[in-house]
Structure formats: structure tokens, C-alpha cells
Amino acid sequence: MRGYRRPDGSIGIRNHVMVLSTCGCANMVARRIADAVPGAVAVENSKGCGQVGSGIEIMRRCLANLALNPNVFGTLIVGLGCESTKPYELAEAVRSRSDKPLEVMTFQDCGGSAAAIEHGVELARGLTERAAGAERCEMGLADLVLGTNCGGSDATSGLAANPVAGVVSDAVVAAGGTVMLGETTELIGTEDLLAARAATPDVADDIYRIVCGLERSFAEAGVDVRGANPSPGNMAGGLSTLEEKALGGISKGGTSPIMEVVPYGARPGRRGLVIMDTPGYDIESVSGMTAGGAQVLIFTTGRGTPIGNPLIPVIKVTGNVECAARMADNIDFDASGAVEGASTIDELGSSLLELLERVCDGEQPAAERFGFNDFSIFHNQEVWCTCLP
């Protein structure tokens, strides 16, 4: 595999110039700039203002960390100018942690849409010209941060797609790389199993904290999570309980020890299998892992989903033979042979690992070919309660 080495030593598998909107009011300008500059990609932000407490801190953390993602060569931060994410302070936070190329501008400083777009195009073109000179270097699985996610799950997800993804996760960890497991909502009922795999007692405590905190927040709000999880599609696909869904879902993280639990959008401090405290909503979960430094993500689905991401390739895996045929435009890997007895989990895992390596080398999975760039930062208040078993 070959990638692009960044100033901090990380290696990206793509070489994007990111035009990053700091708030919803700047989205259109950011999009127009990126559309006018080949090699630039817009990351639009639905919030970024009108937030307080940990909500705004989550937003700032994620926006800064997006610029640090190894797939990003350089960043143009585009702000309105009066938002609570504070574009110029955000730029300084990025510069304090990275020597990557970075530009910043605000719509209000430029004096209107036309001037802002013109100035932004000039800045973005300068970044893409520099990006074109980036040379590729050798890389291995040890250089990867692999995200995992499942959505539109059915009974075949736990039987085939997730265990096959788990084989890949174990291979990446064994090589010295990092794998992210998230979707805290879908860990409920498996926290004891996960805590037993924790590398240290503190990690076990953190696993209980995020699950307990989530359950407590539901209870305090008078919300029954079963109203949304399993979803109607999950139940139509044969999943009857959240615990059943969770038992299948955690298998996509493999069998390795859990080294760390990190907040949403945070960059892991340890290699190996880590848990990120993400929501169950797929786009927000994948966006958080992108901010956390994932260069690529394996997404398992039983019923099918088209979502992608502006910065990282998203590889779709299904264990449902009907889904593989019905949504062939969106599915990259068919693991249904494990259900039908035509292939073993390990055989399919080896084949999926080969696909992962090809994607890292430049092959585009379906969502990337379509240009799907779904993105949304989870911005609710973080809850880390002190409840322990």
C-alpha cells in the first residue's frame, strides 16, 4: 500500500484539500468554493453556533481534529465571522498542533458572497497546487486507523457481515494499527462482555461509564430507547431486541483487547482496538470517527444504505444475499456466503482485507465513486456519569 505522509508522521490514503465550514451560515460559500476548485472537498457543518457547554466544545474539538485527519493535505477554514466556533481561534488551535497548510477566512470580513467566494477560490487553489506535489510513500496496516460502523442491520449482520469485518479488525490490530468501535446505543446489553476484554480496570470503568451515562440520560428524559432501537427496519430484518443487535454489532470490532475509550471526535492515544463514544445515528457516528483520525471505514449493513463521507472511503459490506443483489450499486462486498455455507468467516475476512488494502491504494468504493459526502457532527451534551457495576 502507498499513502501520503503528513508532518506529524501519520499517513493518509487520500490527499484532500478540505474547505471546512465552521457554521451552517457559511455552508453555501464553502460549497461554492470547493465546487470551483478541482481537488477540493467541502465539509459542511449544520451547527457551529448557538451552542453552549460541552456542545460547543464537542464542535470545536471535531472541527480542529478534522484538519488533522491524515487524509487531509491542507484546510481552508470558512466562517461567517460571528459564530461561537470562532474561526480564527479554531485556526490557531489547529496550527498549535499541526504544520499542515492552513488558511482561514470569514464571509463578513470579505464583505459579501461574491467577494468571499472569489477570495476562497484563490486560497483553495493555492492549497491544491501544493497538494499536487505531495509524493506517495509505502505504508502498512500498522499505519491505519480503521473505523467500523453498522446501519440498516438485519439478522445476517450479526451472522456474517459483522464477524467478517471483525476478522479484518483483528488483522489491523495484530499488525500494530488501530480500530474504532462505536455506536454506544448499540453497546447496551454487552457492556459486561466488553469490560471483560478491557486492557486495564480504568478502561473497563470507562466502558461502564459511557453505557451507564447513556442509559441514565434516557431514563432522566423519560425516553425508552426501544422506541428507536431496534429500528423498524431492524425488526423487519429479524432483530427482536437491542441486546440481540448489540451482540452482533460488537463482533465487527473483532476479539482484541480494548485499549482505550475516547470521547466523540477525539483522537485515540493508544493503538489497538478502541471504543469511541458515538451515537447510533450512522452519519454522526462516521463523522466522529473521521474527526478521530480514521482514514477508512468498514460499514456493515443487512438492508442497505448509500451513505459516504467527504474525507474517508466507506466500504459497504452485507451478509444478505438479497441486499447484495438489490442494492448492488451501493454494496462493495458480499459476505452472504457465510450464511449459505459457501465460505467461512475467515475466508471472507481475508478477501475483505484484500479489498481494504486496495481501497487504501486508491480503489474507490461505491459511496466514494458516487461522491456521497454525508456529514454531521453530534453536538448533544456529553454525559460521563459515575455509575459503575
Side-chain angles (χ1 to χ4, degrees):
M1 299 188 299
R2 293 174 63 81
Y4 302 90
R5 189 172 298 280
R6 306 306 182 194
D8 63 1
S10 64
I11 299 178
I13 65 171
R14 299 295 185 264
N15 197 40
H16 296 303
V17 166
M18 175 174 60
V19 182
L20 177 63
S21 168
T22 59
C23 68
C25 304
N27 281 346
M28 187 57 70
V29 170
R31 187 190 311 165
R32 293 287 180 85
I33 292 168
D35 286 347
V37 181
V41 58
V43 174
E44 300 177 31
N45 181 17
S46 62
K47 292 287 287 187
C49 198
Q51 298 169 276
V52 295
S54 65
I56 192 63
E57 294 308 315
I58 294 169
M59 184 63 61
R60 290 170 178 162
R61 174 204 306 155
C62 289
L63 294 177
N65 283 347
L66 285 169
L68 303 182
N69 186 289
N71 288 357
V72 174
F73 170 83
T75 300
L76 168 59
I77 294 175
V78 179
L80 176 61
C82 56
E83 63 269 42
S84 51
T85 41
K86 301 179 181 178
Y88 292 103
E89 289 187 14
L90 180 67
E92 288 307 309
V94 174
R95 289 190 178 112
S96 71
R97 299 167 60 192
S98 172
D99 292 328
K100 286 184 180 183
L102 178 69
E103 302 284 357
V104 59
M105 56 169 280
T106 70
F107 179 92
Q108 291 169 348
D109 285 344
C110 291
S113 300
I117 293 170
E118 181 180 2
H119 183 52
V121 166
E122 180 183 358
L123 293 175
R125 281 179 178 157
L127 290 172
T128 58
E129 288 171 3
R130 295 172 65 182
E135 296 182 358
R136 303 190 76 178
C137 64
E138 295 294 328
M139 66 176 295
L141 294 177
D143 300 302
L144 275 188
V145 179
L146 171 66
T148 66
N149 204 86
C150 55
S153 301
D154 70 359
T156 69
S157 296
L159 292 172
N162 288 329
V164 167
V167 172
V168 177
S169 295
D170 282 343
V172 171
V173 170
T178 301
V179 174
M180 292 182 185
L181 178 67
E183 301 171 284
T184 306
T185 306
E186 298 172 20
L187 304 183
I188 294 173
T190 64
E191 58 268 28
D192 289 344
L193 299 176
L194 294 171
R197 292 167 51 189
T200 68
D202 286 344
V203 174
D205 287 351
D206 285 342
I207 292 169
Y208 283 116
R209 281 192 178 95
I210 63 171
V211 176
C212 173
L214 183 63
E215 290 184 302
R216 182 176 178 179
S217 68
F218 286 144
E220 290 176 349
V223 173
D224 186 347
V225 67
R226 292 171 296 180
N229 208 339
S231 69
N234 295 153
M235 290 184 283
L239 294 173
S240 60
T241 65
L242 178 54
E243 288 82 1
E244 182 181 30
K245 183 179 180 182
L247 285 167
I250 65 172
S251 64
K252 65 183 178 289
T255 61
S256 303
I258 299 168
M259 306 304 296
E260 187 178 18
V261 177
V262 298
Y264 180 82
R267 292 164 64 87
R270 301 192 65 182
R271 292 174 180 250
L273 179 62
V274 302
I275 292 176
M276 177 179 283
D277 185 15
T278 75
Y281 179 47
D282 300 329
I283 295 173
E284 291 178 339
S285 182
V286 174
S287 298
M289 292 184 184
T290 306
Q295 303 111 310
V296 60
L297 185 134
I298 291 177
F299 192 115
T300 59
T301 180
R303 298 179 61 81
T305 176
I307 75 163
N309 183 272
L311 298 180
I312 69 173
V314 178
I315 301 170
K316 297 290 172 44
V317 179
T318 188
N320 186 323
V321 66
E322 294 179 359
C323 176
R326 185 179 64 253
M327 297 194 67
D329 284 351
N330 303 105
I331 299 300
D332 302 296
F333 189 89
D334 181 0
S336 63
V339 177
E340 299 176 341
S343 304
T344 68
I345 295 293
D346 286 339
E347 288 170 345
L348 290 164
S350 296
S351 297
L352 180 57
L353 179 61
E354 292 174 1
L355 174 58
L356 172 66
E357 291 173 337
R358 295 198 305 272
V359 168
C360 291
D361 241 349
E363 182 176 321
Q364 291 186 319
E368 191 175 23
R369 291 196 305 273
F370 277 117
F372 293 157
N373 59 355
D374 307 282
F375 186 83
S376 180
I377 293 174
F378 175 72
H379 51 78
N380 286 2
Q381 301 291 312
E382 284 183 321
V383 180
W384 282 66
C385 79
T386 57
C387 304
L388 292 175

